[in-house]
């Protein structure tokens, strides 16, 4: 069945994950460590930052998880009620700072414009907050080309559960098999498989590697800059 809609992951797919999120994560880690630099570095490592390689590890909590999961990891001594109360502040901070620091990936904006011009229905499926996704799309100047942005807080179950795929299907009237999911981590592709998406497309522009993504992807592209040509070629699964 022809692909008519596309869901994009945000970080590592639409924006440069490393350039956008290290500074934001480091500020939050310092806060969690009460200003202790060594402890903050330990928290960053715990969340998935590799200081030797200067990058976030594929499928780590910071690369693929939600703000709630970061809080659970860094504040295990807090009660569930206290961690829940912290979540609103985390969501607000990361929404504003993530958008302010957002660095678009090369060729991404042109690719989105091309796909929009070709009539594809497009949405964002992220484990960031919905507010963060919306603010980032505005900062990148591409919000008008997307019909919806779904954060982890927009659905009952975030990625890798298929809730976002079903929500976008309901919104657009497209069958899941008419929708492609594009992302840089395994949880993006797991969501596509769980929901019966028409294509599970991996990109190497984020934290995932060919080794981690190829086994569950229909195709592995360098970035979304290659997506218009790939879809135009008819090489769909």
């Amino acid at each position: 069945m022809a692909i008519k809609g596309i869901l994009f992951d945000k970080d590592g797919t639409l924006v440069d994950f490393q350039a956008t999120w290290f500074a934001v994560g480091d500020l939050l880690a310092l806060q969690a460590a009460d200003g202790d630099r060594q402890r903050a570095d330990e928290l960053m490592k715990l969340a998935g930052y590799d200081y030797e390689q200067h990058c976030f590890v594929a499928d780590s909590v910071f690369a693929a998880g939600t703000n709630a999961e970061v809080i659970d990891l860094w504040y295990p001594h807090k009660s569930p009620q206290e961690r829940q109360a912290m979540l609103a502040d985390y969501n607000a901070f990361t929404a504003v700072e993530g958008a302010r620091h957002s660095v678009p990936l090369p060729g991404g904006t042109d690719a989105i414009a091309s796909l929009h011009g070709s009539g594809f229905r497009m949405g964002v499926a992220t484990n960031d907050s919905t507010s963060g996704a919306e603010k980032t799309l505005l900062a990148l100047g591409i919000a008008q080309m997307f019909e919806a942005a779904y954060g982890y807080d927009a659905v009952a179950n975030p990625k890798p559960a298929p809730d976002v795929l079903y929500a976008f299907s309901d919104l657009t009237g497209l069958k899941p098999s008419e929708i492609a999911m594009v992302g840089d981590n395994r949880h993006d592709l797991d969501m596509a498989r769980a929901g019966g998406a028409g294509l599970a497309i991996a990109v190497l522009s984020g934290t995932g590697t060919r080794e981690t993504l190829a086994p569950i992807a229909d195709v592995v592209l360098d970035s979304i800059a290659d997506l218009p040509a790939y879809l135009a070629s008819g090489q769909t699964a």
Side-chain angles (χ1 to χ4, degrees):
M1 187 171 290
I3 296 298
K4 299 177 182 178
I6 309 170
L7 274 174
F8 294 87
D9 171 53
K10 177 170 70 73
D11 299 310
T13 302
L14 295 177
V15 302
D16 185 322
F17 187 88
Q18 315 294 347
T20 300
W21 284 105
F22 175 78
V24 179
D26 194 54
L27 284 171
L28 290 171
L30 273 170
Q31 181 184 60
D34 294 324
D36 184 324
R37 179 70 265 173
Q38 183 175 348
R39 176 58 180 157
D41 289 347
E42 292 172 356
L43 292 176
M44 286 290 283
K45 290 177 184 177
L46 188 63
Y49 192 74
D50 185 331
Y51 279 94
E52 292 185 1
Q53 298 298 319
H54 302 289
C55 66
F56 288 96
V57 176
D59 303 309
S60 61
V61 171
F62 214 97
T66 66
N67 282 341
E69 290 172 312
V70 173
I71 291 171
D72 288 346
L73 183 70
W74 285 354
Y75 295 90
H77 56 286
K78 299 280 189 181
S79 70
Q81 294 78 15
E82 289 174 317
R83 293 198 295 269
Q84 183 62 36
M86 296 174 66
L87 186 55
D89 289 338
Y90 257 62
N91 284 344
F93 181 81
T94 56
V96 172
E97 294 301 311
R100 187 166 71 89
H101 291 281
S102 61
V103 177
L105 287 161
T109 300
D110 289 342
I112 293 299
S114 174
L115 293 165
H116 181 261
S118 297
F120 287 99
R121 315 281 295 275
M122 297 189 294
V124 169
T126 178
N127 273 354
D128 191 6
S129 66
T130 300
S131 175
E134 293 171 342
K135 284 180 170 58
T136 297
L137 291 178
L138 285 168
L140 296 175
I142 57 176
Q144 71 278 9
M145 291 181 268
F146 286 82
E147 297 190 33
Y150 301 95
Y152 78 92
D153 51 350
V155 290
N157 303 289
K159 297 182 296 184
D163 295 33
V164 168
L165 179 62
Y166 296 151
F168 188 63
S169 174
D170 289 343
L171 175 71
T172 59
L174 299 176
K175 297 180 176 66
S177 58
E178 296 177 303
I179 300 170
M181 177 64 206
V182 185
D184 70 304
N185 268 292
R186 289 181 60 91
H187 71 290
D188 299 310
L189 308 180
D190 287 337
M191 183 192 81
R193 295 300 184 208
L199 278 174
I201 301 174
V203 288
L204 299 176
S205 51
T207 59
T209 65
R210 189 174 296 277
E211 290 70 29
T212 63
L213 300 173
I216 53 174
D218 291 311
V219 64
V220 180
L221 304 177
D222 286 337
S223 74
I224 62 168
D226 300 324
L227 189 56
Y230 175 76
L231 292 176
S233 73
Q235 298 179 54
T236 55

